[in-house]
């Protein structure tokens, strides 16, 4: 298993890390079991966020004893969506309490739509420096879905890690971010390595990441079966060979372009449309067992597309500059044909 060093942080871990957003969807006992198995299986980097409901609490319960005995051998990254210094300090203290640790290895501004800097009048970056000086955090990071914010953060020299969506469906502009991070000795943490569920071949996803010596993928995991699949690569990591490369090229030809990545930046929708799933329904219903997308719940949600206000808010918020109302309409027409049996899916 390749080891990855996250830039100037010096944090060196296997290129196979745990994304803890999904464990908020399972009960405490199941989450603790999964997290502890990830640790015994060799994972050493765990990413969560204050915004992920009880995810931090589950990590704290799973790792409290490990923190006491081997704190220096496990790395915890979490995030804050605070917009004021007061909220920043409150969220940081809450995270420390729930995680049951004295410090956070990487503390990140979450889904940043701006690159906080010293002296910008907000006091937000100063809060990071204050927390670092107090020993509450070790390293300063930022997460974003916006290319412009990502590039600014890299070039600012203020952040030690960048977390950004990255998979074999990523564009050349996104691949350039990886190169920029390497050139600036900045760690690159890859979220959405499965493109929000569009990628269903873990071997190909893993092999793609393995070609980069500065990328740490965090796989979103909520089932033990999913975890065991990722852990199996600890001993025998998939290689980016000719067969896998051909598969990836086929996937890219089918999936790249104007499709919704499911980031959720467009939400909430004033018409109540679950845009981050409805705008990519045509792909999801073909790339997963169709039954889970054709049930009454999703039929009702897709029907809400009829109530689209065409207000433009989703397009203004979309970091990929998609024509979201158009995508919703196309997906809805396709969905109706599938329900009527005019189009066959798996």
């Amino acid at each position: 298993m390749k080891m990855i060093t996250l830039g100037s942080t010096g944090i060196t871990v296997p290129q196979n890390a745990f994304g803890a957003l999904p464990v908020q969807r399972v009960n405490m006992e199941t989450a603790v079991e999964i997290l502890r198995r990830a640790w015994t299986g060799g994972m050493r980097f765990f990413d969560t966020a204050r915004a992920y409901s009880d995810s931090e609490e589950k990590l704290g319960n799973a790792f409290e004893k490990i923190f006491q005995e081997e704190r220096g051998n496990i790395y915890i990254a979490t995030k804050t969506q605070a917009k004021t210094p007061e909220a920043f300090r409150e969220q940081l203290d809450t995270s420390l309490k729930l995680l049951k640790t004295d410090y956070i290895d990487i503390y990140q501004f979450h889904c940043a739509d701006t690159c906080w800097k010293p002296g910008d009048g907000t006091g937000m970056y100063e809060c990071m420096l204050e927390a670092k000086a107090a020993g509450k955090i070790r390293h300063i990071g930022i997460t974003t879905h916006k290319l412009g914010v990502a590039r600014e953060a890299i070039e600012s020299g203020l952040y030690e890690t960048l977390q950004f969506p990255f998979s074999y469906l990523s564009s050349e502009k996104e691949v350039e971010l990886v190169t920029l991070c390497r050139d600036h000795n900045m760690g690159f943490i890859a979220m959405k390595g499965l493109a929000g569920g569009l990628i269903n071949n873990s071997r190909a996803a893993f092999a793609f990441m393995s070609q980069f010596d500065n990328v740490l993928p965090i796989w979103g995991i909520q089932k033990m079966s999913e975890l065991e699949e990722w852990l199996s690569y600890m001993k025998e990591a998939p290689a980016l060979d000719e067969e896998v490369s051909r598969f990836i090229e086929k996937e890219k030809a089918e999936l790249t372009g104007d499709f919704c990545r499911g980031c959720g930046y467009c939400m909430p929708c004033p018409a109540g449309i679950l845009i981050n799933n409805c705008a990519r329904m045509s792909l999801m219903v073909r790339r997963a067992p169709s039954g889970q997308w054709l049930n009454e719940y999703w039929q009702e949600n897709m029907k809400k597309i009829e109530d689209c206000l065409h207000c433009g808010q989703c397009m203004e918020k979309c970091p990929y500059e998609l024509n979201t109302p158009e995508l919703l309409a196309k997906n809805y027409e396709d969905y109706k044909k599938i329900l009527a049996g005019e189009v066959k899916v798996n």
Side-chain angles (χ1 to χ4, degrees):
M1 171 58 59
K2 179 185 291 186
M3 301 294 285
I4 295 295
T5 298
L6 287 172
S8 61
T9 70
I11 293 173
T12 302
V13 292
Q15 194 179 35
N16 197 4
F18 195 107
L21 183 152
V23 295
Q24 66 184 315
R25 303 178 191 136
V26 299
N27 63 34
M28 182 65 73
E29 182 180 0
T30 301
V32 167
E33 182 182 7
I34 289 171
L35 288 162
R36 287 179 178 166
R37 172 61 186 133
W39 162 261
T40 60
M43 286 187 171
R44 291 296 178 264
F45 189 94
F46 297 80
D47 179 86
T48 182
R50 184 78 292 278
Y52 299 165
S53 61
D54 62 355
S55 176
E56 289 179 325
E57 182 181 5
K58 286 167 175 170
L59 264 71
N61 287 347
F63 297 142
E64 182 177 15
K65 186 175 181 181
I66 295 170
F67 286 157
Q68 294 171 357
E69 298 175 353
E70 296 189 66
R71 182 62 183 91
N73 199 29
I74 183 170
Y75 299 94
I76 304 296
T78 191
K79 317 178 189 80
T80 176
Q81 285 187 314
K83 303 297 182 185
T84 67
E86 293 76 19
F88 179 102
R89 297 183 185 102
E90 180 182 353
Q91 289 190 19
L92 174 56
D93 287 342
T94 299
S95 292
L96 287 166
K97 179 180 179 182
L98 292 174
L99 288 165
K100 299 183 179 181
T101 182
D102 294 331
Y103 67 90
I104 292 161
D105 294 281
I106 303 176
Y107 201 49
Q108 305 158 103
F109 286 124
H110 194 180
C111 287
D113 56 12
T114 186
C115 177
W116 306 111
K117 297 177 180 178
D120 62 11
T122 66
M124 296 303 294
Y125 191 85
E126 285 84 350
C127 282
M128 283 287 194
L129 295 176
E130 172 189 295
K132 195 171 183 179
K136 293 182 177 182
I137 68 174
R138 294 288 174 88
H139 305 286
I140 301 171
I142 188 169
T143 86
T144 185
H145 290 257
K146 298 187 176 182
L147 280 165
V149 174
R151 291 184 69 93
E152 186 177 356
I154 296 168
E155 292 166 0
S156 73
L158 297 169
Y159 296 90
E160 296 165 271
T161 61
L162 169 69
Q163 186 172 148
F164 197 83
F166 192 63
S167 70
Y168 64 61
L169 299 180
S170 294
S171 68
E172 284 302 312
K173 290 182 179 179
E174 292 159 318
V175 175
E176 285 175 9
L177 293 180
V178 172
T179 302
L180 279 173
C181 279
R182 184 191 63 211
D183 293 345
H184 286 76
N185 196 25
M186 184 178 183
F188 188 101
I189 301 169
M191 60 166 144
K192 294 190 178 294
L194 297 179
L198 292 180
I199 293 173
N200 52 25
N201 185 320
S202 68
R203 291 189 65 83
F206 195 103
F208 171 80
M209 297 293 183
S210 70
Q211 68 184 303
F212 301 98
D213 58 9
N214 65 321
V215 171
L216 179 65
I218 48 172
W219 310 111
I221 297 167
Q222 73 178 65
K223 297 178 181 178
M224 189 65 78
S225 58
E226 296 169 349
L227 173 62
E228 292 298 344
E229 190 169 351
W230 295 117
L231 290 182
S232 70
Y233 302 148
M234 286 290 190
K235 294 181 179 179
E236 188 176 347
L240 191 64
D241 55 23
E242 186 176 341
E243 180 182 355
V244 173
S245 296
R246 282 199 306 267
F247 174 82
I248 289 176
E249 288 307 310
K250 180 175 178 292
E251 289 270 281
K252 290 177 72 172
E254 177 183 346
L255 293 172
T256 49
D258 289 343
F259 69 90
C260 174
R261 274 72 167 179
C263 69
Y265 254 93
C266 55
M267 301 290 282
C269 168
I273 303 169
L274 296 180
I275 299 172
N276 55 337
N277 279 307
C278 293
R280 58 184 186 144
M281 184 59 72
S282 291
L283 290 170
M284 297 303 292
V285 78
R286 288 168 171 79
R287 299 181 67 78
S290 59
Q292 70 185 63
W293 298 107
L294 299 176
N295 59 30
E296 185 177 345
Y297 173 80
W298 283 110
Q299 289 181 44
E300 291 176 356
N301 276 284
M302 290 299 287
K303 188 173 177 59
K304 290 180 182 178
I305 294 173
E306 296 176 1
D307 302 323
C308 177
L309 302 173
H310 296 279
C311 61
Q313 290 186 29
C314 50
M315 289 194 293
E316 292 175 4
K317 296 176 182 177
C318 180
Y320 301 97
E321 300 179 348
L322 299 176
N323 187 329
T324 312
E326 184 178 288
L327 277 177
L328 286 167
K330 287 181 178 178
N331 276 265
Y332 186 39
E333 289 305 311
D334 182 55
Y335 192 75
K336 287 189 290 186
K337 290 177 181 178
I338 293 170
L339 288 174
E342 298 174 24
V343 175
K344 300 296 183 182
V345 294
N346 59 330

